[in-house]
Amino acid sequence: MEFEPWMLLVFPLFFGMGWLAARIDIKDLLSESHALPQSYFQGLNFLLNEQQDKAIEAFIEVVKVDPQTVELHFALGSLFRRRGEVDRALRMHHNLVDRADLDNDKRQQAIFELAQDYLKAGILDRAETLFRELEKTPYGKPSLEFLLELFQKEHDWLKAIEVAQRLSVVSGESHGKQASFFYCELASDEIAAGDAAAARAHLQQALEVCPEAVRASMMLGDLAAGEGKLEEAIAIWKNVEAQDAQYLPLVAERLLNAYRDLEREAEGIALLRGYLTKYHSVDLMNVVFDGVLKNEGSSAAYQLVREELQRNPTLIGLDKLLEARLLEVPMERRADVELVKDLVHKRTRNLASYHCGHCGFKARQFYWHCPACQAWDSYPPRRTEETGIQI
Ligand SMILES: [Zn+2]
């Protein structure tokens, strides 16, 4: 391509267009920044320099001058709360609630945030009052959820039951199972205080709101057994099979003891053997093993574990088998079996724990309420080896 004189015009033209575009952008930017009050930039500056208190004052100024910055207040308020700076969150949200010109939606949002600040700060009575104020607003359901959390923290089980019931109505999802646990907590306090009649009434209510409430049946059975009504206790514990059979291992020992006290141990063992055939469980096997060993001798106990191990091979079962074998072998071969048993037992110690399905917390004993994550009914009533959880 040859050089043409008109080409000389192209370069100044492009340069001029670029200059014009840049001027337009800068003009826009300047007009936008003039629209924001000076305090906004001051606040931003303070925030970037980690001077949060000065930043809050500056932002409060901004919202006085420019109501459009309300969202900024909400964002900062929840940021402070998340960082654990609850005093600052409270100041931001209080300032919003106190504004006379805030529309109704934003006021409700501000009250909802403020209530969460109080909850986080542990000022529970104020949090409760504010959450209750919001019940008939679009924040009604989350407010009830927070109230449920609050009353559990306070161990105020009656209020927790009331909120769980209202939440069932508002959300359309049943909170009956949760309410049944609150009734059981109430009953547990009453049993500790020696008021068996009140406890029994609350346990019946637990079964009304949740017929599958195994914990309520266990406690009702315990109350009956405590009063010497063993037949009644057995009948209540036997209900667990219909409620949720996987919980049978939790009542197996109670059942066997009650039958033993009634001098009908063989009947108890037969019942539990029936359960074991239908619902495999190492805990159930352990109880039946102890019963058979006492009642029928070591070779019957060994036979039981052997059959069970063939049906459901587990390390915990093998541990039990070796225990039974130990009772049978002659003295001279005992040391070998003992050595193997110790090795297997060391391995099964970890496999024999319970495992929270919610947070993964492992525990030697069974919990209805996880001590780590506070979830209810999060432990399957089976050992980790049986649930297939890798450890
Ligand atoms: Zn947990």
Side-chain angles (χ1 to χ4, degrees):
M1 192 167 104
E2 279 184 34
F3 177 77
E4 300 277 343
W6 59 266
M7 287 180 178
L8 286 172
L9 287 173
V10 172
F11 297 106
L13 192 69
F14 277 127
F15 179 77
M17 281 166 70
W19 179 81
L20 205 66
R23 258 189 79 84
I24 291 166
D25 276 349
I26 290 166
K27 247 178 134 178
D28 279 356
L29 214 67
L30 282 174
S31 71
E32 270 176 29
S33 67
H34 282 312
L36 286 167
Q38 186 63 24
S39 319
Y40 176 81
F41 294 102
Q42 278 176 355
L44 216 53
N45 199 27
F46 286 135
L47 202 61
L48 291 171
N49 288 313
E50 298 281 314
Q51 292 172 281
Q52 276 93 340
D53 287 316
K54 285 187 179 170
I56 291 171
E57 294 307 329
F59 286 127
I60 286 173
E61 273 310 304
V62 179
V63 90
K64 273 183 198 158
V65 182
D66 184 1
Q68 300 303 316
T69 54
V70 164
E71 292 302 337
L72 175 76
H73 259 62
F74 280 119
L76 283 169
S78 54
L79 177 77
F80 284 134
R81 188 174 63 238
R82 270 207 311 279
R83 286 170 45 144
E85 297 170 47
V86 188
D87 283 354
R88 292 185 173 123
L90 277 165
R91 271 172 64 202
M92 295 299 281
H93 293 134
H94 258 301
N95 182 60
L96 279 174
V97 173
D98 292 343
R99 284 180 61 91
D101 59 343
L102 207 65
D103 68 44
N104 209 27
D105 286 352
K106 293 283 179 227
R107 178 175 306 284
Q108 286 166 358
Q109 188 185 347
I111 294 172
F112 184 58
E113 295 294 328
L114 198 58
Q116 290 176 68
D117 297 340
Y118 279 125
L119 184 66
K120 181 118 186 188
I123 308 169
L124 302 182
D125 52 343
R126 295 245 182 122
E128 182 186 343
T129 310
L130 293 177
F131 281 130
R132 284 200 185 274
E133 256 180 52
L134 293 167
E135 227 175 281
K136 295 211 161 42
T137 71
Y139 296 92
K141 184 174 171 260
S143 293
L144 283 171
E145 283 163 351
F146 276 117
L147 279 172
L148 198 62
E149 183 188 324
L150 187 157
F151 294 136
Q152 288 181 66
K153 254 189 205 168
E154 284 189 311
H155 287 203
D156 192 335
W157 306 115
L158 276 175
K159 281 187 179 174
I161 291 163
E162 173 222 329
V163 171
Q165 282 164 346
R166 282 223 302 278
L167 205 51
S168 298
V169 176
V170 171
S171 68
E173 296 160 16
S174 170
H175 283 68
K177 196 161 198 178
Q178 217 172 4
S180 81
F181 281 111
F182 302 153
Y183 278 119
C184 288
E185 290 295 325
L186 266 179
S188 168
D189 292 344
E190 285 152 356
I191 290 167
D195 191 351
R200 191 171 279 113
H202 280 136
L203 293 171
Q204 293 293 359
Q205 279 179 288
L207 287 168
E208 275 164 33
V209 295
C210 176
E212 300 82 32
V214 170
R215 189 184 176 192
S217 294
M218 283 173 69
M219 292 174 76
L220 273 172
D222 289 348
L223 278 174
E227 291 167 1
K229 300 172 188 162
L230 295 177
E231 294 278 8
E232 189 186 321
I234 288 171
I236 295 169
W237 289 326
K238 275 162 88 174
N239 281 340
V240 171
E241 186 185 11
Q243 285 180 306
D244 192 342
Q246 63 168 335
Y247 287 90
L248 277 173
L250 299 183
V251 291
E253 200 166 1
R254 288 168 160 87
L255 278 166
L256 191 61
N257 289 339
Y259 275 110
R260 189 175 291 143
D261 291 345
L262 287 168
E263 296 180 356
R264 284 157 46 195
E265 198 165 0
E267 195 183 328
I269 291 171
L271 176 78
L272 296 183
R273 266 183 186 264
Y275 289 154
L276 190 59
T277 317
K278 279 201 265 180
Y279 321 104
H280 168 73
S281 147
V282 288
D283 285 325
L284 204 50
M285 184 192 69
N286 281 342
V287 178
V288 181
F289 173 83
D290 291 341
V292 170
L293 185 65
K294 254 187 217 165
N295 231 35
E296 300 167 30
S298 58
S299 73
Y302 176 71
Q303 195 57 31
L304 169 97
V305 186
R306 201 157 175 269
E307 281 166 18
E308 187 54 27
L309 197 64
Q310 276 167 348
R311 282 200 297 143
N312 296 291
T314 58
L315 269 181
I316 302 173
L318 178 63
D319 190 22
K320 208 71 196 168
L321 183 82
L322 290 166
E323 189 185 324
R325 190 79 190 123
L326 212 52
L327 301 168
E328 292 279 288
V329 291
M331 242 351 193
E332 62 271 18
R333 282 174 51 210
R334 223 179 169 137
D336 291 345
V337 180
E338 216 154 72
L339 183 71
V340 178
K341 194 204 167 313
D342 285 350
L343 284 172
V344 173
H345 190 70
K346 268 183 200 146
R347 178 73 188 120
T348 57
R349 274 172 63 88
N350 283 340
L351 295 168
S353 53
Y354 292 103
H355 197 271
C356 172
H358 193 251
C359 74
F361 187 74
K362 286 202 287 283
R364 304 289 301 168
Q365 71 177 88
F366 178 82
Y367 286 105
W368 293 106
H369 189 211
C370 177
C373 70
Q374 311 298 315
W376 292 97
D377 201 23
S378 59
Y379 283 82
R382 308 180 81 79
R383 306 291 176 168
T384 42
E385 188 184 12
E386 297 176 281
T387 52
I389 290 164
Q390 297 293 311
I391 51 161

